[in-house]
Amino acid sequence: MSANLKALGISKFIFLLLIFAAINSNFAQSRYDFANKQRLAQSYLNARQFDKAKSIFEYLDKIQPLNSYVITSLNRVYIQLKEYDNSIKLLKSKIALSPQNINYYGLLGTTYYTKGSRDSASIVWQKATYLNNNAEMNFRIIANYIIQNRDYDFAIKILREGKIYAKNPNVFSYELANLQSVLMKYSDAAEEYCEIIQRDPRQINSVKTRMAAYISRKLALDETLK
């Protein structure tokens, strides 16, 4: 009797082990298939065969709806194909699934901006800065998206707002000064650098190094001295 029970227990164990092995094998195969399809889609994307890349990335997105690589790649395909409404629909669905992911807001704003809906872009980007109680990193991330779209005045506005919430406002002052010097707003850049030194005199050498990159220009020198 006990021998039969023991044999039955061993049989159950072997049966469960086989099931586990089969499931694990299927899972490994699925991951392998996903990776292969992802590589194929990427090769189409690199070759600018956007329609072919689109169909594969859409398929992969259904399998892994929160895969950030697939999302950004599919969105890039939509932008290249000028399918802005599809991009908006995609990114809004991802924001619904992951409302704290600030990069989805950055991408959504970029789509609106590229589409020509500048006001909608500004609203989305501004909203993103409110996430996580106005976390200072929000402002820097969103400002970077805005700079990529060359809306420099709005980027400066966002960085100035971020400086208000920042524990270390010098981080924002450096970014503002750098951006303003690139835009040849040398007087504004100088004000930011002066603020940095006022908060922390030890930053003097860092400020001098940064200013040296442009101060030799006559216009820059005159405006900075003022």
Side-chain angles (χ1 to χ4, degrees):
M1 183 76 172
S2 60
N4 289 337
L5 288 173
K6 187 175 181 180
L8 183 61
I10 293 173
S11 297
K12 278 186 175 182
F13 174 76
I14 294 173
F15 178 69
L16 291 173
L17 191 64
L18 290 172
I19 290 177
F20 176 77
I23 292 173
N24 196 45
S25 176
N26 288 335
F27 179 71
Q29 183 63 41
S30 296
R31 289 183 62 183
Y32 178 77
D33 290 342
F34 186 93
N36 275 346
K37 284 183 171 61
Q38 184 172 286
R39 281 193 290 270
L40 178 60
Q42 184 61 50
S43 68
Y44 283 136
L45 183 57
N46 293 340
R48 302 185 66 81
Q49 297 183 45
F50 300 120
D51 285 316
K52 292 182 178 180
K54 172 186 167 181
S55 61
I56 300 175
F57 278 126
E58 285 179 335
Y59 169 78
L60 296 175
D61 182 58
K62 291 177 181 178
I63 297 174
Q64 293 188 14
L66 283 177
N67 185 309
S68 59
Y69 174 81
V70 172
I71 294 166
T72 54
S73 297
L74 177 56
N75 184 65
R76 180 183 167 194
V77 168
Y78 285 148
I79 296 298
Q80 291 292 334
L81 292 172
K82 294 182 170 55
E83 296 182 8
Y84 303 123
D85 290 339
N86 279 340
S87 170
I88 291 167
K89 182 180 178 181
L90 171 72
L91 294 169
K92 283 186 173 180
S93 71
K94 302 312 175 184
I95 288 173
L97 291 173
S98 184
Q100 300 304 310
N101 191 318
I102 193 169
N103 287 302
Y104 296 153
Y105 293 88
L107 291 170
L108 179 58
T110 295
T111 298
Y112 278 126
Y113 197 89
T114 306
K115 185 181 178 182
S117 303
R118 304 292 174 86
D119 290 341
S120 296
S122 298
I123 291 169
V124 170
W125 282 329
Q126 188 73 67
K127 181 180 179 181
T129 65
Y130 302 147
L131 298 178
N132 302 317
N133 297 318
N134 296 95
E136 59 184 86
M137 184 58 70
N138 293 354
F139 295 92
R140 298 178 67 193
I141 292 173
I142 292 302
N144 194 43
Y145 277 104
I146 298 170
I147 290 169
Q148 289 174 20
N149 286 281
R150 301 183 181 181
D151 191 348
Y152 301 118
D153 289 337
F154 190 47
I156 289 171
K157 175 181 178 293
I158 292 295
L159 288 170
R160 282 175 173 164
E161 289 180 12
K163 189 166 65 169
I164 295 172
Y165 293 95
K167 293 180 180 178
N168 181 9
N170 279 355
V171 172
F172 285 87
S173 285
Y174 272 120
E175 293 195 17
L176 280 163
N178 181 63
L179 178 57
Q180 288 162 337
S181 65
V182 170
L183 297 174
M184 300 176 66
K185 296 182 178 183
Y186 302 116
S187 179
D188 292 337
E191 287 184 17
E192 293 296 338
Y193 283 132
C194 286
E195 285 186 20
I196 290 170
I197 297 170
Q198 286 174 334
R199 294 189 199 103
D200 184 2
R202 294 172 299 178
Q203 296 294 315
I204 183 69
N205 288 330
S206 179
V207 167
K208 287 165 66 177
T209 299
R210 289 169 183 259
M211 293 180 71
Y214 65 84
I215 201 68
S216 59
R217 306 167 198 165
K218 188 177 187 309
L219 177 62
L221 179 60
D222 292 343
E223 289 196 14
T224 301
L225 287 175
K226 290 178 184 179

